[in-house]
Amino acid sequence: MKEKHIRIRIQQCLALSQASNCPRRKFGALLLDPERNVVLMDGYNGGPRGGGELCGGDVCLRDAQDVESGTRMEIGCHHAEMNVICNCAASGVPTRGAWLVVTGEPCMMCAKLIHHAGIRRVLVVGGGYAGANGIQYLKDHDVDVQAIDGPQDPRLNKIT
């Protein structure tokens, strides 16, 4: 896939993240067919499909309960990576060999889904995620991970 096409897909992913209704952070994810240079599926983080309420309504329960990032995955939004993989499953779109563009580092739960879905490359936009993540898991399981410059997680500025 050409660099200019990757840059365009990154911009699409960043725009998609704005669809999220999460009050904490907005994530987007695009699944790509690198050979045909097409988007296979998209996803973003948020509440349940069909407009269900977020875990804490207008307040992020993870923030309200001071839940450390990367822990207690039962609290919080449906993740963008989870949504894109589930959207593929619901629509019969194959994920094997695809590339995933995501606007932050996948958590461990999403890293496991990515690996088991057969996604071969993950392009991570931004400067990381404030907490435990699944990048090393992906690398340990032969998923190519590429960091791409982009917007930083605003919570990183709070860490001293």
Side-chain angles (χ1 to χ4, degrees):
M1 188 176 260
K2 292 181 180 178
E3 182 67 25
K4 73 175 187 175
H5 294 129
I6 291 173
R7 290 285 163 204
I8 291 167
R9 298 305 183 205
I10 290 168
Q11 291 304 314
Q12 288 177 304
C13 194
L14 290 167
L16 175 66
S17 72
Q18 297 309 302
S20 170
N21 57 354
C22 176
R24 186 173 198 222
R25 180 149 185 235
K26 297 175 182 310
F27 281 89
L30 287 179
L31 194 70
L32 308 174
D33 178 332
E35 307 215 355
R36 294 184 301 138
N37 187 27
V38 297
V39 174
L40 297 171
M41 192 60 66
D42 64 17
Y44 53 88
N45 65 320
R49 183 172 309 285
E53 246 193 59
L54 291 172
C55 59
D58 292 337
V59 176
C60 177
L61 281 185
R62 296 182 67 76
D63 285 341
Q65 296 177 11
D66 200 26
V67 176
E68 181 182 348
S69 291
T71 65
R72 306 264 335 260
M73 301 316 298
E74 74 279 8
I75 298 174
C77 292
H78 297 212
H79 294 188
E81 306 94 323
M82 178 192 312
N83 278 334
V84 78
I85 291 169
C86 289
N87 289 343
C88 285
S91 299
V93 175
T95 56
R96 184 177 308 279
W99 292 11
L100 181 69
V101 179
V102 66
T103 59
E105 294 180 8
C107 71
M108 181 61 76
M109 176 182 65
C110 288
K112 290 177 179 180
L113 287 171
I114 290 165
H115 167 244
H116 285 275
I119 295 168
R120 78 169 189 236
R121 176 175 280 179
V122 178
L123 306 171
V124 180
V125 180
Y129 185 80
N133 65 61
I135 295 296
Q136 192 59 51
Y137 177 92
L138 291 170
K139 290 178 178 179
D140 289 347
H141 291 88
D142 298 320
V143 176
D144 183 36
V145 177
Q146 180 181 349
I148 302 208
D149 289 335
Q152 302 287 306
D153 183 340
R155 292 170 293 146
L156 290 174
N157 296 332
K158 296 178 185 174
I159 298 172
T160 57

